[in-house]
Amino acid sequence: MNWSAWEHFLDTQPAFRQRQLNHAVFQELVTDWSAVSVLPLKERQWLEVNCPLDINYTLSGQDADPAQKARITLRDGLIIETVVIHHETGRQTVCLSSQAGCPLGCAFCQTGQQGFRRNLKAGEIVEQALLWQRLLAPQGKHIHNLVFMGMGEPLLNLAEVIRAIEWLHNSMALDIGWRHIAISTVGLRPQLKDLLNYGEQIKIAWSLHAPSDNLRNKLMPVNHHHSLMALKPIFRDYVVRTNRRLMVEYLLLDHFNDSLEEAEELAIFLADFPKNLLLINLLNYNPGVGNFYPSSGSAREAFAVFLEKRGYKVTTRLSLGQDILGACGQLSW
Ligand code: SF4
């Protein structure tokens, strides 16, 4: 969707017509302006040319699978990917991309290894969620959660990410509650402060992946410029000031960062945070990039138990979507 054209057009319309148009796009999920009969023909034709609703995509995975991936071809031919996770509870989480590719080059990440093409427009982010809504609705399902954990680093495209989430939250659009929207970031100054000062109650996840700068430097080149020690006070101030929970993402890599010594280092590194406001999310590595291997089940268990004994709340995220190359770190263009 051409976001600017759409916004411009809406601004020219009276309030009742704006509601009708949003209802058509986000509730009726029309894919063609010709179906919006409340609009005069001339305006439908203008929208068809300037703000087309069709989305060019291919789908991997079936409705009954735990995860599905869509490869969307943008208007300029670039390809991005987005994933939906079908939880056993019947809820759906959609993983959104914020960039085509990513310039940060994390060693474990397919997207990062492929390089960077460009930032996505807000409309191209909204479009990913809109596509899933169109695919879920006929099954009587809808999106419950949105997470920015797809392609790209959201802080490198923060203005468009914020525009997109404000639209997705809008009650006239997808009406996703703020607490059901999460942004995951490696942490970049100064944009991090802008994100953490954002007034709405979105969830924040810090992609940590190592307990020390020494180790993180080997995984994530960005750490040379935005070190753990520099970022920690910013995240800690956020947690203390807002009393909101911070998710800490930690990708467990066999014999790289998954020993009990590293668990101890992590416990010490995080000791400055109020423990009740931290959630450590241990991720499984999805093979494909770099000379890494997933941690063994026993190492994962021992790592989690160690942290829990130190008083931290720990979850182990199931790795869904490996078979469709749609799991964490596997998205590509
Ligand atoms: S893990 Fe995230 S920040 Fe790192 S290269 Fe991949 S997409 Fe970029």
Side-chain angles (χ1 to χ4, degrees):
M1 190 188 306
N2 182 335
W3 175 267
S4 300
W6 168 246
E7 276 190 322
H8 177 72
F9 183 82
L10 277 183
D11 283 346
T12 65
Q13 301 296 309
F16 79 93
R17 181 54 59 73
Q18 291 185 9
R19 278 194 298 278
Q20 286 175 328
L21 292 175
N22 281 315
H23 194 267
V25 173
F26 292 102
Q27 261 81 54
E28 294 169 33
L29 301 168
V30 296
T31 56
D32 189 333
W33 286 111
S34 63
V36 186
S37 54
V38 293
L39 268 185
L41 179 63
K42 204 171 157 197
E43 293 184 339
R44 276 185 262 162
Q45 289 171 335
W46 187 90
L47 284 167
E48 203 56 63
V49 172
N50 294 286
C51 197
L53 288 170
D54 61 303
I55 301 172
N56 185 359
Y57 70 96
T58 56
L59 199 59
S60 305
Q62 308 296 318
D63 295 343
D65 291 342
Q68 291 173 283
K69 179 174 77 173
R71 276 171 77 77
I72 298 177
T73 304
L74 303 175
R75 307 261 165 214
D76 61 0
L78 284 181
I79 290 174
I80 56 166
E81 296 190 328
T82 171
V83 172
V84 67
I85 296 161
H86 303 285
H87 300 283
E88 286 176 355
T89 56
R91 294 178 166 243
Q92 331 297 323
T93 295
V94 163
C95 184
L96 298 169
S97 293
S98 56
Q99 299 183 299
C102 181
L104 297 188
C106 298
F108 51 80
C109 174
Q110 177 71 25
T111 310
Q113 293 306 304
Q114 282 190 304
F116 173 64
R117 299 304 294 271
R118 68 169 171 84
N119 283 338
L120 299 185
K121 297 282 183 199
E124 292 167 330
I125 297 169
V126 172
E127 208 166 64
Q128 297 169 51
L130 181 59
L131 172 64
W132 287 120
Q133 192 77 350
R134 288 180 186 175
L135 295 168
L136 292 170
Q139 307 165 51
K141 299 176 182 171
H142 65 274
I143 300 169
H144 291 87
N145 301 300
L146 294 171
V147 296
F148 281 85
M149 295 183 185
M151 301 166 73
E153 162 53 55
L155 286 191
L156 290 174
N157 191 19
L158 187 58
E160 294 296 305
V161 166
I162 296 292
R163 285 180 80 192
I165 62 173
E166 291 188 342
W167 192 251
L168 293 165
H169 167 75
N170 190 322
S171 60
M172 289 199 295
L174 291 187
D175 198 17
I176 308 286
W178 289 122
R179 292 171 190 228
H180 293 265
I181 297 173
I183 294 182
S184 177
T185 176
V186 300
L188 305 168
R189 294 159 298 148
Q191 301 96 317
L192 178 60
K193 287 188 177 172
D194 294 337
L195 174 65
L196 299 182
N197 285 329
Y198 184 60
E200 307 300 349
Q201 295 199 17
I202 55 173
K203 291 182 178 166
I204 305 291
W206 185 11
S207 298
L208 199 75
H209 305 320
S212 66
D213 281 320
N214 190 27
L215 203 57
R216 200 173 189 248
N217 284 342
K218 295 175 186 167
L219 272 186
M220 303 164 74
V222 68
N223 197 67
H224 290 286
H225 307 287
H226 302 270
S227 70
L228 289 181
M229 295 316 284
L231 293 169
K232 183 163 78 166
I234 301 173
F235 278 110
R236 186 186 171 282
D237 285 353
Y238 160 78
V239 169
V240 171
R241 174 171 53 82
T242 63
N243 209 33
R244 286 191 208 139
R245 179 176 272 179
L246 177 70
M247 290 186 285
V248 174
E249 308 285 326
Y250 194 99
L251 180 68
L252 285 168
L253 299 166
D254 185 42
H255 289 95
F256 183 87
N257 64 359
D258 65 345
S259 69
L260 290 185
E261 288 72 33
E262 274 120 19
E264 165 98 60
E265 262 192 283
L266 182 59
I268 293 169
F269 176 75
L270 295 174
D272 302 339
F273 289 82
K275 286 195 173 82
N276 62 324
L277 294 177
L278 277 188
L279 175 64
I280 302 173
N281 196 2
L282 300 178
L283 312 178
N284 291 333
Y285 173 64
N286 300 301
V289 180
N291 295 318
F292 299 110
Y293 297 92
S295 290
S296 65
S298 57
R300 208 164 47 238
E301 173 77 12
F303 201 94
V305 168
F306 183 94
L307 291 170
E308 282 167 349
K309 282 188 178 160
R310 291 297 182 91
Y312 293 99
K313 185 164 171 46
V314 181
T315 62
T316 305
R317 193 196 296 164
L318 290 175
S319 187
L320 302 173
Q322 265 186 31
D323 53 334
I324 53 168
L325 297 180
C328 284
Q330 289 187 321
L331 302 187
S332 63
W333 45 267

